[in-house]
Amino acid sequence: MDDLAATIDGLDDPNLVATVHYYSFWPFSVNIAGYTRFDATVQQDMTDAFARMHDTFVAKGIPVYLGEYGLLSYPDYTHQDYVERGEALKYFEALGHTARVAGVTTALWDPFSLLNRETLRWRDPALFALVKSSWTTRSGTASSDKVYVSKADPVTDRSLNLNLNGTSFRGLWLGGKKLAQGVDYTVSRDRLTLTAAALKRLTGDRAYGVNATLQARFSSGVPWRIDVTTYDPPLLADTTGTTASFAALAQFRGDSLATMEARYADGTNAGPADWTSYQQFGTAFAPDYDGGTLRLTADLLNSLKDGVPVTLTFHFWSGATVTYQVTRSGDTVTGTAVS
């Protein structure tokens, strides 16, 4: 940005505009190195980037056109989400606000996944509504867009932290019906707790997956969606395949994959990204929830030492972890579930 500012200054043309691209803190944008959440590090990267745009250009009377922004791995309608949807929504909501405060004009980059070019309809209307709302106001969010309820264990109270973003919390709705505060849920400052009684009613017979979808509504912006989801820890089966094709049979049982670690027995990192134990979602591994498999890619498998077992730890959004061991012998790969 400093080089561009010097160029513009040297041209001495009041009609020039600076253009910048922004795709967030890279590890979060592609889901690598354990950055699965829109956390403080990711937020600070955004704050710093827009502060530099403002201080370098806007404050000196040079307009800034953010000609591209988004996330490098979300959305993409051709495969399962690599960045968790709720975390991505928090990013888009915050970016609209941060850009507005910095005086930066934004253009959302669409790699054919936001707008359906055949129907000219948004593939995810709720995402677009959040982006549009961020141009003028803030929306409240929460620490997660899911509340997980164990199928095997007794139902207990479950809590989320609210990110008010300058709004005030107005209540929880199930469809057109407002839930009863003090009975179905409680709020203590920014802590929202769903009661066990409400969760029993909402989950019904506790079939795996989303049993009910709630809306947390705030004084401005768009509501925050909360999926009440029944799960049990996922199961992976012993599998034999090749470096070109390996997919372990998987029972996801209502859960969703967040990330995967890969380590050798001596504790060193395994996989193509050997600088971190947490490998890149989609590049090293990918779930197929509908097909019931968890695929390990050729990039991952070909990077492994021959004949040396690797322990994979799959982290799921419920908090469950599943351990799996793989060994490459030439082109053959053997996978074993670890109890």
Side-chain angles (χ1 to χ4, degrees), residues 92-134:
F92 284 106
E93 191 281 330
L95 189 142
H97 167 74
T98 306
R100 178 160 47 89
V101 171
V104 173
T105 298
T106 59
L108 182 62
W109 181 253
D110 181 14
F112 296 92
S113 286
L114 292 163
L115 183 68
N116 186 319
R117 300 301 203 272
E118 295 180 356
T119 65
L120 297 183
R121 295 182 181 275
W122 298 106
R123 296 185 188 276
D124 186 346
L127 169 59
F128 178 69
L130 188 72
V131 170
K132 186 176 181 180
S133 178
S134 75

Side-chain angles (χ1 to χ4, degrees), residues 33-280:
Y35 284 95
T36 59
R37 293 185 180 275
F38 185 61
D39 64 11
T41 299
V42 183
Q43 293 172 40
Q44 191 63 52
D45 183 89
M46 178 184 292
T47 298
D48 293 346
F50 280 91
R52 288 195 297 273
M53 294 179 215
H54 176 271
D55 295 348
T56 307
F57 301 114
V58 178
K60 300 173 184 176
I62 303 170
V64 173
Y65 173 59
L66 192 68
E68 292 184 20
Y69 83 88
L71 290 172
L72 296 171
S73 295
Y74 184 94
D76 188 331
Y77 75 96
T78 66
H79 54 64
Q80 302 286 349
D81 290 345
Y82 294 168
V83 176
E84 199 274 331
R85 184 175 185 272
E87 301 304 309
L89 291 180
K90 285 184 269 189
Y91 162 81
F92 284 106
E93 191 281 330
L95 189 142
H97 167 74
T98 306
R100 178 160 47 89
V101 171
V104 173
T105 298
T106 59
L108 182 62
W109 181 253
D110 181 14
F112 296 92
S113 286
L114 292 163
L115 183 68
N116 186 319
R117 300 301 203 272
E118 295 180 356
T119 65
L120 297 183
R121 295 182 181 275
W122 298 106
R123 296 185 188 276
D124 186 346
L127 169 59
F128 178 69
L130 188 72
V131 170
K132 186 176 181 180
S133 178
S134 75
W135 299 338
T136 56
T137 190
R138 301 244 27 200
S139 296
T141 65
S143 53
S144 179
D145 61 348
K146 289 182 175 60
V147 169
Y148 282 96
V149 178
S150 170
K151 185 179 181 71
D153 300 325
V155 178
T156 59
D157 294 356
R158 304 293 291 172
S159 297
L160 297 172
N161 288 329
L162 297 173
N163 306 313
L164 295 173
N165 295 330
T167 71
S168 57
F169 178 70
R170 292 296 173 84
L172 279 181
W173 271 257
L174 176 64
K177 181 180 180 181
K178 186 176 182 180
L179 300 188
Q181 185 169 352
V183 177
D184 298 321
Y185 68 92
T186 61
V187 179
S188 178
R189 295 186 179 179
D190 62 352
R191 187 77 167 170
L192 170 67
T193 300
L194 284 160
T195 66
L199 290 172
K200 287 179 183 178
R201 186 176 76 252
L202 292 169
T203 54
D205 61 1
R206 286 198 273 176
Y208 289 137
V210 177
N211 305 131
T213 297
L214 306 177
Q215 277 191 350
R217 297 184 185 178
F218 301 87
S219 56
S220 68
V222 300
W224 180 253
R225 169 177 167 167
I226 301 171
D227 288 334
V228 179
T229 304
T230 295
Y231 83 103
D232 272 331
L235 300 173
L236 296 180
D238 296 350
T239 304
T240 300
T242 67
T243 53
S245 179
F246 186 95
L249 294 177
Q251 298 179 47
F252 292 102
R253 306 207 291 180
D255 216 336
S256 298
L257 186 60
T259 187
M260 181 199 78
E261 291 185 89
R263 286 193 176 98
Y264 293 108
D266 63 3
T268 57
N269 300 328
D274 58 5
W275 52 275
T276 174
S277 63
Y278 290 92
Q279 298 301 296
Q280 185 172 337

